[in-house]
Amino acid sequence: MTDGIALALFLLGVSLGVVGNWIKPPRKLTDRWLVGIFALLLVAGSVFTFLEGRLPGGQPSPPRAEATTVPAQVPTMPVPSSASATPTPTASVRPSANPKATPNPATRSTAARPGASGKNNGTPRSPYVAASKFQRFGGTHGPFTLVADGTTLRIDTPDSNDSQWGAYLKDHMMCDGTVEFDVRLGAGAVDYYGLAVLPRGGLDNDQATGDAIILYLDSDGSFIAKFSSLPTPGVGGVGGGSYPVADLRQTRHVVVSARGSTYSVKVDGIPAGEFAETESVGCGKLTLAAWGGATAHIEDVLVR
């Protein structure tokens, strides 16, 4: 570019020298020729200057360096695929989509346990006797209602003190043991209505037989407990007599124990007598009997 400008200025100076008569032209050149040479030189200089300002192949010259200079970049080294490489945020916080991922041991369910049937039905085994295991008795002495639902028995008796109605545990023989349950007595229409508990009972003529703890309404309107023998209730046994207990028209917890020749009873944790049977019966079946129009609501029977 600098050489082209210098050449153009040289030619321009020569032309000016010829025109200004600084350089003597040949005598054969007329003024017209001089003007033509001068014009030709001007055109040639202009064309040369124009062509000098373009890149080879007709490409435009690049922009000025100071306007488009790009800062030098530091060469980057390839990052090795190792544990030191920083993971992307999304990869570190997204939960695993694998459906077979191992669950947290703390969240494992413990509710699925073998039920009363021995199958894994998700229901814990109940310690209480199923009401369906009881067999009714007394129906030949008058119609009555026995309802068994879950661990609840309901004995609805006729208005009579001449017989007893109830249920016995048909598949369990007891020799020495304890039975406990919750009970509430619906008032009967006949005086002395109540409930008898025979841990080692039997049946004769569709009636409960054996030594029993009876809980019933006394003549003064209070409830008492005593030892007796069925089918005919009556005070008997060594240490016999009656003992006051809480009002059985509200739900009470009753515990009756038969050990050897000794029977004992508690109502709501309060002892209500300890008796010795008159004759050893040996073993028998848990029997629950009611009478006098009472409705006995018995729940959660536990035999041990």
Side-chain angles (χ1 to χ4, degrees):
M1 180 70 181
T2 305
D3 296 338
I5 295 175
L7 180 59
L9 292 176
F10 174 75
L11 294 176
L12 182 60
V14 171
S15 301
L16 291 175
V18 173
V19 174
N21 203 19
W22 300 332
I23 300 174
K24 298 295 183 179
R27 293 181 179 179
K28 292 183 178 181
L29 293 179
T30 62
D31 294 337
R32 183 179 297 177
W33 278 99
L34 293 175
V35 173
I37 291 172
F38 178 77
L40 182 61
L41 293 175
L42 287 179
V43 172
S46 299
V47 171
F48 184 83
T49 302
F50 174 77
L51 294 177
E52 185 70 13
R54 298 180 62 86
L55 291 174
Q59 297 297 323
S61 60
R64 295 175 61 88
E66 59 272 18
T68 59
T69 300
V70 178
Q73 297 182 355
V74 179
T76 58
M77 298 297 293
V79 179
S81 57
S82 64
S84 61
T86 303
T88 59
T90 55
S92 62
V93 298
R94 292 181 59 186
S96 172
N98 182 8
K100 296 183 180 180
T102 303
N104 187 342
T107 62
R108 293 178 181 173
S109 174
T110 58
R113 298 176 181 175
S117 63
K119 297 180 180 179
N120 189 357
N121 57 10
T123 303
R125 184 185 297 274
S126 173
Y128 305 114
V129 178
S132 60
K133 293 184 177 294
F134 283 88
Q135 180 69 49
R136 59 185 285 135
F137 72 88
T140 60
H141 296 267
F144 79 105
T145 301
L146 176 67
V147 178
D149 181 17
T151 59
T152 300
L153 282 172
R154 193 188 82 219
I155 306 170
D156 195 351
T157 66
D159 295 335
S160 173
N161 284 335
D162 296 331
S163 302
Q164 296 87 41
W165 297 263
Y168 65 94
L169 192 56
K170 58 183 179 180
D171 296 327
H172 183 79
M173 187 69 69
M174 180 184 292
C175 296
D176 283 356
T178 300
V179 57
E180 58 182 287
F181 52 85
D182 292 333
V183 63
R184 176 173 58 85
L185 296 180
V190 180
D191 292 340
Y192 308 111
Y193 67 85
L195 174 73
V197 182
L198 298 87
R200 301 182 285 205
L203 288 177
D204 182 21
N205 189 29
D206 201 26
Q207 289 288 276
T209 62
D211 294 321
I213 298 295
I214 59 176
L215 307 164
Y216 68 100
L217 181 71
D218 202 2
S219 56
D220 63 357
S222 63
F223 284 86
I224 60 175
K226 69 178 184 179
F227 179 87
S228 182
S229 294
L230 296 181
T232 303
V235 176
V238 178
S242 58
Y243 297 83
V245 296
D247 190 340
L248 294 173
R249 287 169 295 192
Q250 301 179 18
T251 300
R252 305 295 180 183
H253 189 69
V254 174
V255 180
V256 175
S257 179
R259 305 285 178 182
S261 62
T262 303
Y263 286 78
S264 62
V265 58
K266 293 181 180 180
V267 177
D268 281 354
I270 300 175
E274 185 174 285
F275 315 91
E277 61 185 6
T278 56
E279 295 182 4
S280 178
V281 178
C283 302
K285 296 182 178 180
L286 170 61
T287 304
L288 303 170
W291 64 89
T295 299
H297 302 269
I298 301 169
E299 298 181 331
D300 298 340
V301 177
L302 183 63
V303 178
R304 49 188 173 83

